[in-house]
Amino acid sequence: MMACRLASLRALGLTGARVATPRISYPLFRRSFAVLSSPRASSQPWDELSQPTGELQTTLSSSVSVSGVGLHLGLQTTVTLLPAAAGAGRVFHVVVPGDRGLVGIGADVRNVVDTRLSTVLGAAGVQESGVRVGTVEHLLSALEGCGVDNCVIRVDGGGEMPLLDGSAAVWVRHIMAAGIEPATVTVAGATAERRRWNLPGKGPITVQHGDSFIAAFPRASPLLTYGIDFPHVPAIGRQWVSWDPARAQQQPQLDAAAEHEEQGEQPQECGDYMSGIAPARTFCILEQVEQMRAAGLIKGGSLDNALVCSQTRGWVNPPLRVPFEPCRHKLLDLIGDLALCGRGGNSGIPNAHIVAYKASHALHVAFGKALIDALEAEATDLAKGKDA
């Protein structure tokens, strides 16, 4: 699998010198892992709702820092990714100005406080209210796509993740430079084995708003399908893409000719995450830019970190990096938002076929909460059955 990932990075021109960063001593962070990881992670009934993957949980081999400007606030932020113990999951440590120390925010769908054009997490404690970290979806997507299960994410600056080039490719480059290895140290009460949720219940889980929807159907392994439709923007129009992680590991490089041919309503297979999804940039409609700026958004947006498309003139800053780039970016966002459903260092993407159409961050998060609610209800039923 690692060879496939490196091949994908070389194809994108993303390989380079290894980042020289110090290794992290796990004991320094063990207490914060135990406090900030979800209490549900070690609950036995949850293990019965998931299945082992035959792999160990992973973390970074070393730390790595990335700096850049946030999309909406436009402020400079430095993010440092640090190794974490198995069972810790992904946790944000936000540096609070004024020597107030660090505030921990778990990468948990229950911690989402805003979904206006991005996903924003907030601290749960009353005394910590107001501490937020925004636009988390691109980094979380990269961690999920690269298979990094446990990570401390230190955020110092503007309270928003750097947009970088508008995709997840830069995050992928730095993650791979830091290295990925099995998480040999384990949080107390957790397991080092990687597991994946089975879809709870016998029927699908669905959320809908107008003609937008997300639906999940039972399946032996994950499959994600995404559709968008911009009838008033002909250059985008209707697009469908899909991602089968298991298939992508076996066949990371799809035939280029087949990938570029017109497929109509047939979803276009993205292939390997690193080459087929990570490079897809965020996009916006030119005629809506001033409206978003008037709302105090996209202060850090530019033609260097976003695709811009006009309703009448087409793409303002071509060329596209990959076919169906707008739809692939929406899939990238979905992967990042689903990562918020992870528990105890396990993937948030369940064994299911998840179909999303014209969805938004708000709908992604609503689906994630519905998934966790269903899992919790089934875990409660299992626990009651054991007590009877």
Side-chain angles (χ1 to χ4, degrees):
M1 185 186 301
M2 188 62 68
C4 293
R5 288 170 176 162
L6 291 175
S8 300
L9 288 171
R10 293 191 187 100
L12 289 169
L14 293 176
T15 52
R18 186 178 180 86
V19 176
T21 51
R23 295 184 65 85
I24 301 301
S25 175
Y26 285 113
L28 292 175
F29 301 97
R30 196 170 292 158
R31 175 176 294 182
S32 62
F33 293 158
V35 172
L36 294 171
S37 60
S38 169
R40 292 186 292 271
S42 59
S43 177
Q44 288 301 316
W46 286 79
D47 290 343
E48 299 183 28
L49 299 177
S50 61
Q51 66 181 43
T53 63
E55 300 174 330
L56 292 175
Q57 291 185 21
T58 63
T59 188
L60 297 175
S61 301
S62 60
S63 64
V64 63
S65 294
V66 183
S67 297
V69 174
L71 171 59
H72 295 301
L73 300 178
L75 300 176
Q76 185 78 13
T77 303
T78 297
V79 175
T80 302
L81 307 180
L82 303 162
R90 302 163 187 138
V91 182
F92 290 86
H93 283 185
V94 183
V95 178
V96 182
D99 295 325
R100 291 168 55 196
L102 297 173
V103 170
I105 306 176
D108 189 320
V109 70
R110 298 278 174 80
N111 289 335
V112 175
V113 294
D114 193 359
T115 53
R116 259 195 325 166
L117 300 181
S118 70
T119 301
V120 182
L121 301 178
V126 175
Q127 294 181 347
E128 300 162 349
S129 60
V131 178
R132 298 183 172 194
V133 57
T135 320
V136 299
E137 61 272 12
H138 295 176
L139 171 58
L140 292 177
S141 181
L143 291 170
E144 187 78 29
C146 291
V148 179
D149 305 309
N150 304 281
C151 182
V152 168
I153 305 161
R154 181 185 172 104
V155 184
D156 189 355
E160 182 181 28
M161 305 301 289
L163 183 61
L164 304 175
D165 70 347
S167 74
V170 178
W171 290 117
V172 166
R173 183 185 71 198
H174 286 285
I175 289 168
M176 297 306 294
I180 304 172
E181 63 182 33
T184 54
V185 177
T186 306
V187 168
T191 175
E193 182 183 43
R194 178 188 286 165
R195 304 180 69 88
R196 188 180 294 277
W197 302 128
N198 291 319
L199 198 67
K202 297 181 179 180
I205 294 176
T206 62
V207 294
Q208 184 174 2
H209 180 73
D211 62 347
S212 304
F213 68 86
I214 303 177
F217 306 90
R219 193 174 186 268
S221 61
L223 172 63
L224 275 61
T225 301
Y226 212 109
I228 61 174
D229 189 12
F230 288 78
H232 302 299
V233 189
I236 299 177
R238 180 177 295 169
Q239 303 178 3
W240 283 94
V241 297
S242 66
W243 180 50
D244 184 335
R247 179 187 174 195
Q249 290 178 10
Q250 299 169 359
Q251 186 184 1
Q253 301 296 331
L254 297 179
D255 180 77
E259 190 175 17
H260 283 268
E261 70 183 10
E262 185 64 37
Q263 298 190 31
E265 295 297 317
Q266 182 69 25
Q268 187 177 90
E269 172 60 48
C270 291
D272 179 60
Y273 176 88
M274 295 185 185
S275 60
I277 298 175
R281 293 161 290 177
T282 190
F283 66 99
C284 66
I285 309 304
L286 178 64
E287 288 77 7
Q288 298 174 356
V289 167
E290 290 306 319
Q291 179 183 354
M292 288 188 286
R293 285 179 175 164
L297 302 171
I298 64 170
K299 294 178 181 178
S302 72
L303 293 178
D304 294 325
N305 55 30
L307 276 172
V308 181
C309 191
S310 168
Q311 295 177 357
T312 58
R313 292 181 286 147
W315 293 108
V316 175
N317 54 340
L320 302 186
R321 290 179 175 177
V322 287
F324 290 3
E325 186 169 354
C327 197
R328 291 182 190 231
H329 184 81
K330 294 292 292 183
L331 177 58
L332 183 158
D333 283 345
L334 177 63
I335 293 168
D337 289 336
L338 287 176
L340 296 170
C341 296
R343 293 292 184 275
N346 297 301
S347 173
I349 302 177
N351 289 318
H353 183 188
I354 300 175
V355 182
Y357 178 64
K358 296 176 63 174
S360 60
H361 287 295
L363 208 59
H364 295 171
V365 169
F367 172 81
K369 290 180 178 178
L371 172 63
I372 294 300
D373 287 345
L375 286 164
E376 287 185 339
E378 191 158 327
T380 299
D381 290 342
L382 285 171
K384 288 180 179 178
K386 289 184 176 182
D387 294 337

